[in-house]
Amino acid sequence: MAVVATSSLLTGCGATGSGDVTLKLVAADYGDSEDNTSQKYWDALTDAYEKDHPGVRVDVEVYSWEDVDAKVKAMVDAGDPPDMAQVGAYADYAAAGQLYPVSQLLSVPVQADFLGEMSRAGEVGGTQYGMPFAASTRRLFYNKKLFAQADIEPPKTWSQLVTAARALKAQGVTYPFALPLGGEEAQAETLIWMLSNGGGYTDNVGSYSIDTPQNVRALNWLKDDLVGAGLTGPTAPARLNRTPAFKAFANGEVGMLSGHPTLMNMAKAKGVAYGDVAVPGPDGTPKSRMGVTDWMMAFKEGGHAKAVGAFLDFVYSEKNVLDFSREYTVAPVTASASDEMRDAPQDKALSPFIDELAGATYYPANKTSWPEISAEIKKQIGATVAPNGSPASVLGRIQNEAAAAESAE
């Protein structure tokens, strides 16, 4: 993997302060095997950086997504946080006053290169603390062979999706429409369909608004028109997780499901011909789309603002953002890399995901209560589409919990 320094973004060793400095970064693993673990990416990047900055050493520890947040928390609780952490949430640390504002770290051109919606999602109280790191949105994937056998076209509306699922079921497809509302990522699948109907987890001023009529209608549609009609396969949505749903798609057992770019690689590896289209809306184009980004943050404890900022300028240079995005099939978080990938033939398959990030809606990651509420959604939301489920009741209960948690922030 080529990792090239962009000299215009780099300052000399003197910019990091006097004497040698060692920076510690804890990062999540985006790889799916030993061959492409993120440790290899970071080792190559830090080697390149250290050659141009002989007074700086950057030690990187990479952990699985199951472990990385807990590892960082343990370090913070022990009073020894890393200089930088690339994880799934930042708001708790920002609210506790433990993070550097981004403006104290990055050069102006690098900070300005972040996509606007992502930068705003990294703000607490109007100040940006979270730096987006790798992004994706969701599109509706479909199995081209199964669609051809059922003589159907990719759906653009909710009613067309139901019609397509019925045709797939008639052909004996195991999962005409896979609906993963299990604990792995129920908060994402739920938000996809809420946004499709003009709802979401928060209102236009950022307050929780989970039990709105738009959200209730979206879940009632899933419950009555898809689950209740027997169109979501043999596994109850509350027990179906994203990972097995993706594996079933790659095995040719799923007609349709909402997926992120990783699914492209899984399908290709198994020889499944697939297509992807925008998630359907009630009457066509969804009213909003979901965007997802992970976060980089820098802790103040070590006092290495200049050294951290110079290194992160390098991390977010166009070349390095492109390298990471292409290696792990994720959308870039900067405008410069997005423009490059949007027009590059080698990135054609990823281009629709990049386009859909413009104006996307993100999780309310700037709320310290969001991890708690996300956990409740994962725990409770599958019950909404069960035979005796009540979307209005469950969403109302979660809204009450969210409002209480929000008032305590």
Side-chain angles (χ1 to χ4, degrees), residues 133-165:
F133 188 90
S136 73
T137 186
R138 305 299 163 89
R139 288 171 62 80
L140 187 76
F141 282 73
Y142 64 95
N143 183 308
K144 288 185 174 182
K145 179 180 178 181
L146 298 179
F147 266 58
Q149 291 173 345
D151 193 25
I152 50 178
E153 296 293 325
K156 296 180 179 179
T157 67
W158 284 5
S159 62
Q160 290 174 0
L161 189 151
V162 172
T163 298

Side-chain angles (χ1 to χ4, degrees), residues 98-174:
Q98 296 170 312
L99 303 181
Y100 282 113
V102 177
S103 61
Q104 294 182 17
L105 300 169
L106 301 180
S107 63
V108 172
V110 173
Q111 186 176 1
D113 199 24
F114 288 133
L115 296 175
E117 295 84 359
M118 295 182 193
S119 287
R120 286 187 286 275
E123 294 179 354
V124 174
T127 299
Q128 185 180 357
Y129 295 95
M131 291 162 275
F133 188 90
S136 73
T137 186
R138 305 299 163 89
R139 288 171 62 80
L140 187 76
F141 282 73
Y142 64 95
N143 183 308
K144 288 185 174 182
K145 179 180 178 181
L146 298 179
F147 266 58
Q149 291 173 345
D151 193 25
I152 50 178
E153 296 293 325
K156 296 180 179 179
T157 67
W158 284 5
S159 62
Q160 290 174 0
L161 189 151
V162 172
T163 298
R166 288 173 178 160
L168 292 164
K169 183 179 181 180
Q171 291 290 318
V173 176
T174 305

Side-chain angles (χ1 to χ4, degrees), residues 16-363:
T16 66
S18 61
D20 292 348
V21 61
T22 297
L23 302 177
K24 184 173 182 179
L25 166 64
V26 176
D29 193 355
Y30 288 77
D32 55 15
S33 69
E34 286 297 318
D35 293 333
N36 73 339
T37 172
S38 295
Q39 189 72 57
K40 292 186 176 181
Y41 172 84
W42 287 112
D43 287 348
L45 186 145
T46 55
D47 284 349
Y49 186 76
E50 290 170 359
K51 286 177 182 177
D52 280 348
H53 297 75
V56 180
R57 176 177 173 81
V58 185
D59 292 333
V60 183
E61 296 179 3
V62 172
Y63 297 97
S64 70
W65 275 108
E66 289 79 11
D67 298 327
V68 67
D69 287 285
K71 291 288 185 181
V72 172
K73 184 178 185 303
M75 293 175 187
V76 174
D77 290 346
D80 186 29
D83 293 285
M84 297 161 284
Q86 183 271 300
V87 291
Y90 69 90
D92 278 351
Y93 303 117
Q98 296 170 312
L99 303 181
Y100 282 113
V102 177
S103 61
Q104 294 182 17
L105 300 169
L106 301 180
S107 63
V108 172
V110 173
Q111 186 176 1
D113 199 24
F114 288 133
L115 296 175
E117 295 84 359
M118 295 182 193
S119 287
R120 286 187 286 275
E123 294 179 354
V124 174
T127 299
Q128 185 180 357
Y129 295 95
M131 291 162 275
F133 188 90
S136 73
T137 186
R138 305 299 163 89
R139 288 171 62 80
L140 187 76
F141 282 73
Y142 64 95
N143 183 308
K144 288 185 174 182
K145 179 180 178 181
L146 298 179
F147 266 58
Q149 291 173 345
D151 193 25
I152 50 178
E153 296 293 325
K156 296 180 179 179
T157 67
W158 284 5
S159 62
Q160 290 174 0
L161 189 151
V162 172
T163 298
R166 288 173 178 160
L168 292 164
K169 183 179 181 180
Q171 291 290 318
V173 176
T174 305
Y175 293 91
F177 175 75
L179 182 64
L181 292 179
E184 180 182 354
E185 211 185 29
Q187 85 289 356
E189 187 70 23
T190 304
L191 184 58
I192 290 167
W193 299 106
M194 287 178 170
L195 290 173
S196 173
N197 195 42
Y201 290 137
T202 57
D203 58 24
N204 56 11
V205 295
S207 297
Y208 285 117
S209 57
I210 295 173
D211 60 347
T212 62
Q214 296 94 325
N215 292 343
V216 173
R217 182 195 173 202
L219 290 181
N220 274 326
W221 172 71
L222 292 173
K223 175 182 181 293
D224 297 335
D225 292 40
L226 288 164
V227 181
L231 302 177
T232 54
T235 304
R239 295 198 301 271
L240 182 63
N241 282 318
R242 177 79 65 198
T243 297
F246 275 19
K247 289 181 179 178
F249 185 88
N251 289 332
E253 300 170 348
V254 175
M256 300 175 283
L257 83 169
S258 55
H260 52 66
T262 301
L263 187 54
M264 298 190 296
N265 298 334
M266 295 177 65
K268 289 177 184 177
K270 289 295 189 74
V272 172
Y274 73 92
D276 60 84
V277 295
V279 170
D283 302 309
T285 303
K287 294 179 172 62
S288 185
R289 297 182 175 93
M290 184 183 75
V292 177
T293 184
D294 303 316
W295 300 102
M296 178 76 76
M297 56 188 169
F299 288 90
K300 295 191 294 186
E301 180 74 21
H304 296 142
K306 289 183 179 180
V308 168
F311 175 68
L312 290 177
D313 270 2
F314 180 65
V315 169
Y316 284 106
S317 66
E318 180 179 336
K319 174 61 177 176
N320 290 334
V321 172
L322 286 171
D323 282 344
F324 188 90
S325 300
R326 286 168 171 161
E327 176 67 20
Y328 298 106
T329 319
V330 294
V333 298
T334 61
S336 58
S338 295
D339 290 343
E340 172 67 23
M341 294 185 74
R342 190 177 287 112
D343 297 331
Q346 73 187 88
D347 303 312
K348 183 178 179 180
L350 196 58
S351 184
F353 294 88
I354 296 172
D355 289 340
E356 288 195 6
L357 282 171
T361 299
Y362 294 83
Y363 297 135

